[in-house]
Amino acid sequence: SAMAYDGVAARSVGGAAAGVDQSILVSGESGAGKTETVKIMMGYLASVAGQTDGVVVKRVLESQPLLESFGNAKTVRNDNSSRFGKFTQLEFDATARVGGGDPPLVGSRCRTYLLEKSRITGQAPGERAYHCFYGVARGRSNSRLDLKQQRFTAKGDLATNKIEGMSDPDRFAKTWDALRLVGVEDNERDAIADLLEVTLLLGDVDVEATSTEQGEGSKLLEDAASTKASQALGVNAEALGKALTERTVKARNETFKVPLTQQQARDARDALAKEIYVRTFDYIVGKINTATSSGDVDRAMRVVGLLDIFGFESFAVNRFEQLCINYTNEKLQQKFTLDLFKTVQQEYDEEGVPWTHVAFPDNAAVLTLIEGRMGIIDVLNEECVRPRGSDEGFVSKLTTLHGTESTRYIPHKMNRDQFTIKHYAGDVTYTAHHWLERNTDALPEDLAGVARSSSFTMLASLFSSSVVTTKTKGKLVKDTVCTKFKAQLTLLMEEIERTTVQYVRCVKPNSIKSSSHYDVEMVVDQLRCAGVIEAIRVARAGYPNKLPHAEVPRRFGLLCDTSGSTLQLCKSLIGEELATQKRDGPYAVGSTRVYFKAGVLEALERRRADALGERAIVVQARWRQIRHTRRYNNAKQGAKKVQARHRRYIARRVYLKTKAAAILAQSARRACVARKRVAALRRNRAASRVAAAWRGRKEQRAYSKLRTNAVTIQKVQRRRAAVALHAKMATEAREQAKLENRLAAMEAKLRDAQSKNEEEEGALVANALVDLRSANADLRKENEKLKSENAALKKKVTELEQEKAIRADVLAASRAQHFAEPPKPAVKKTVSSPRAADTTPDKKKQSRFAALVGSLGFGNTPTTEKEVPPTPSSGRRDRRAPHIARPLNRFWQDVPAGSLESALPSSPNDVARVHLKVGGQYLCATGARGCALEPMPQQPKSPSSSTADGRDACYLRCEPPVQVSAQVARANGQTGANGGDFGYRTAMAFIVETAAKGTFRLRSELTGGYVNVGGLFQRYCLCASAPTAAEATSFEFVARQKDGNEPVGEPDPSSPGGRDASMERLRAQQLLVALRAADGPKRGHFVRVRPDAYVNVAPPSSPDAARGALPADDRTTPLLSVELLVPLSQYEVTFVASQLGLIVSKTMPLKVVRFKDVGASLAPAAELSGRIAVGDVLATADGRDITQCSRREAVDVITSTRPITIGFRVGEV
């Protein structure tokens, strides 16, 4: 293609256009790559020729895939085989130049040859029809085709839906875009698709055989297929049936109908389908030529013709199409042979080289046999015209005419319809079956008339120019297929003769469509069929090898002296005389080249290779010398380095031995000094331990004595208060009795006086009665006053006792912290984990907490005789009153056991905050704030470890409020006994969320985690560390059954404070409930407090407890009480302390950020309120709204006045 374009773009010396038309003939068998080669050359020519008109170039390039869609099909040899020949002429404007250089591409014209019609109506197994049929059937949305049901495609390959990586719907879309590009309107494209559907629908039309008076006939089957086909054709079904089953014959002045047999009717149907498709194909080719042709006849055009023609074919059965194809290849082979010898002869003449005539194969005899007078084409046309002509008669005439005269024709001895032709590529045997019909290729006038009368506009227009076959003076007006093809081929050869021809031979490596297999025999056979082998033989008969003059001394100068001329050099090299006109020689010297006979140049190349080999040996010897010298020098340097390193190794080993000896002496000296120092330290430590033990013993005795004295003082003080209170109440009772006796006496006296002298002393008695009643009213008022004073005194005594108990707890905690023995490194005596409490029990260290827990049914079973609780069978009554902590303030309320279900939230969206109390202490979480919601740096400590209580992460413990505050402070990295930044409420509060009916989940307000039951290694302790509700344990409350026979609230005169104990027991009976796990592996287990204050679960102790029915006298199931935070949207707190202990936000409104450590022994005032929470808003101060003030003013108001009542608004959760 590059040489062809250079020939088109050539200029003369003066700059005028001197290019000539070019032709590139591409040939090869099916599947060799002819079509792809043509596309590659077209793409190259379009790219180098410039793009003055991009639309035209694009149309030219897109026209090839468009023709492939309508003219290519899958065969057993090639998936995309071209079933027609085409000659494409690319037009270049010789007068215009792209950028002042080469002529641009301005258009193209295309001419097609021998479209394979038989593929339309049937295909061999494994083959397909033309690609466009499958694209319309599978890519069109409203297609009426079913390829499996269509008769023309049912026997072909329907499993293949991709050709060369492109699916049929994608190819259909690309084809339709290409049609739009070449100027086909949308309605015309739809009409083309309808024509393709009509072609396949005609195949479903069938006829049945009938008998008539004139002989055998046929009749159209009136079924759905015929109706569908006639509707698609746009004709009446009856008219279509008559056209298919009858033929109109004109004889002189008469016209009559001749019935057709069933087979003739089917052939007519197939002929109509073929003609429709052929005319559609020609219409598309015409559209392409119209869109791509330059159309300007005035411009000087140069063309490059690309001929994509079928190669030589020889099959088991060769038909009419193979004869036409091989006829074409014979013409092209003749052109190739003449061009080859003409080129060689011209070159020899220009170089002045003597040459002799060489015999070459001439196929003129074959062409004369085919196209000469009374050749195959003439005999076939004559047999088509002759009445009752037949294929056997045609073969018989050929045998008579050429059987003995032509050496290229061989008649068949067995079959009368077969004959053999000796082509240049080999012998081919043809079978003359239906040759006359295929050569005539005439559509019956009846079917053509039906097509012209169709309501389908495009179909009618395609058949409007049809030619009617008639006779005029013994000759056909319409030419046969052979005649038309011969004329087209002659015109093609004339156009090629006017151009400079380039040849491209495509060779197929194998027949299995593999890119890695090479079939040598098949390739040689193709080269023979293409005439390449014969061309090589002819070329070798002359001077097959040649070299320019400058190349001979450069290449062979090492064999001899190059100072002389080229002729002298050749004589020195070859040693023989050169060729002349009189005699033949091994070489000849031309004006620019030296020509060699066969084998001469090969001998020179061998001598040159031997000379180069000798010189290479010398070079290799020198190189080996250099390499060995270098290797010796490297070994010498290496030996020196090895020796140096060995000497260094010996010296270093001596040095290391000396150094090790010095270090050993130094270490022995230091060990001696260290042993003396350690002995002294051990003596000092032993003395310190003895002294510390003595001081500890001394302090313990002092503490025991002090504690005993304090307990004695407290008992005496409580006894005195109780005796005084009892005496006062007894006095009041006696006074009350005296007054009542006096009143009764006076009433009796009045009644006596009335009975004695009712009439005389009535007035006096009435006055006395009035006086007595007045005195009685005064006495009653005084009695009520005494009762109110008595109630106030009782309330004050109760408050003093509570305050005293709290102070005692605080004092006990502070003393326990002050006098606690420091931990020893070897043995841990302090019980700080559930495992330690189980393995090392210490009965002497049971505190008031343990005793109180035991009275409520918590903890371990008592082991001493004095601590054995009474049972219902013993008849003894337990006089100990369980102490349950009172609510912290008015914001918290105790919830009776019977009201828990209504007090707690009933829907999953509601929450409530509660305190869980065990006697006077609270359940709390010991972890840092938010530790359950944030990633922990390490795993939390197990309750079985020996770490301090405050360091246990997220476990639940039972502690007094002060201890709870200290636990939270230490867990969050703070010091001191106060609560730090979080407060009582945060430490002890749990958020209750409804899980299911009657069950709930607990979430610690401090850690943010849900409460769940730990595993075996956690001793089944409760942890507030579950990050999600799905991992939490659900709980439920179990209340004790009521027992009307239980004597509750009866005072015991023999024990001081018996009435208060009874009231406390009555309160406990109303509040205490059991907490039980409702799901998980510990379902049904009850929550209990261990002696070490950790909280875990234990199985039920009785069958009743397992069923959730706790009797009133159950003393083994653990019990607790619930304290609920009153749900308020706003509240007020009065502060007396100078420092509130709050950190508020830096913007308005003021929000509580955290609690502040004020340095006091107790927690700050805000924390002690038990109600204030982080996020609450400070709204008012002594009734004044501070939300509208600036932050400075609001802070001044809060800090300037004491006492002050601050109103808070509850923040969002």
Side-chain angles (χ1 to χ4, degrees), residues 51 560 583 629 687 796 944 1109 1196 1212:
Q51 298 183 2
C560 62
R583 65 183 181 85
T629 302
K796 186 174 182 180
S944 61
D1196 291 342
E1212 297 181 358

Side-chain angles (χ1 to χ4, degrees), residues 595-750:
Y595 294 85
F596 301 94
K597 284 286 186 177
V600 177
L601 185 61
E602 288 83 350
L604 292 178
E605 289 291 345
R606 283 194 296 270
R607 290 173 58 188
R608 179 176 178 271
D610 295 339
L612 289 176
E614 294 174 357
R615 287 165 174 76
I617 292 173
V618 175
V619 173
Q620 291 172 0
R622 180 58 181 163
W623 165 246
R624 284 194 292 270
Q625 177 188 0
I626 295 173
R627 186 178 60 181
H628 285 291
T629 302
R630 187 179 301 169
R631 185 180 300 172
Y632 168 75
N633 293 332
N634 292 337
K636 183 177 179 181
Q637 295 294 331
K640 290 181 179 180
K641 289 183 179 180
V642 170
Q643 293 172 3
R645 291 185 179 180
H646 180 69
R647 289 192 296 271
R648 184 184 65 178
Y649 169 74
I650 297 299
R652 179 170 178 78
R653 187 169 60 180
V654 173
Y655 164 73
L656 292 177
K657 286 183 178 180
T658 306
K659 182 180 178 181
I663 293 174
L664 183 61
Q666 293 173 3
S667 62
R669 173 61 182 170
R670 286 194 296 270
C672 181
V673 175
R675 281 193 293 270
K676 292 180 180 180
R677 187 178 300 171
V678 168
L681 291 176
R682 287 179 176 176
R683 287 195 298 270
N684 292 336
R685 188 176 65 176
S688 299
R689 285 185 176 179
V690 172
W694 168 248
R695 287 194 298 272
R697 181 68 175 173
K698 183 178 178 181
E699 292 296 335
Q700 287 180 358
R701 289 180 178 177
Y703 169 72
S704 299
K705 185 176 180 181
L706 180 61
R707 184 177 183 279
T708 303
N709 294 337
V711 171
T712 303
I713 292 172
Q714 292 172 5
K715 289 181 179 179
V716 171
Q717 180 63 25
R718 286 195 293 270
R719 184 184 65 186
R720 289 180 179 177
V723 170
L725 180 61
H726 181 269
K728 186 174 182 180
M729 293 176 63
T731 303
E732 291 176 357
R734 285 194 297 271
E735 292 294 333
Q736 180 69 22
K738 288 180 181 180
L739 290 176
E740 291 177 356
N741 291 334
R742 288 177 61 186
L743 180 60
M746 293 181 69
E747 289 178 353
K749 186 178 180 180
L750 180 59

Side-chain angles (χ1 to χ4, degrees), residues 880-949:
R880 293 178 297 171
H883 170 64
I884 300 178
R886 298 286 178 174
L888 296 177
N889 49 44
R890 59 189 176 89
F891 300 115
W892 296 86
Q893 294 181 0
D894 285 325
V895 182
S899 304
L900 280 173
E901 184 175 356
S902 59
L904 295 180
S906 58
S907 65
N909 297 327
D910 297 337
V911 295
R913 288 173 173 81
V914 298
H915 287 161
L916 301 178
K917 300 185 293 186
V918 180
Q921 306 192 22
Y922 292 80
L923 295 187
C924 64
T926 58
R929 182 173 179 83
C931 65
L933 303 180
E934 300 177 357
M936 298 294 291
Q938 58 183 359
Q939 294 295 329
K941 299 293 184 180
S942 170
S944 61
S945 64
S946 58
T947 57
D949 294 345

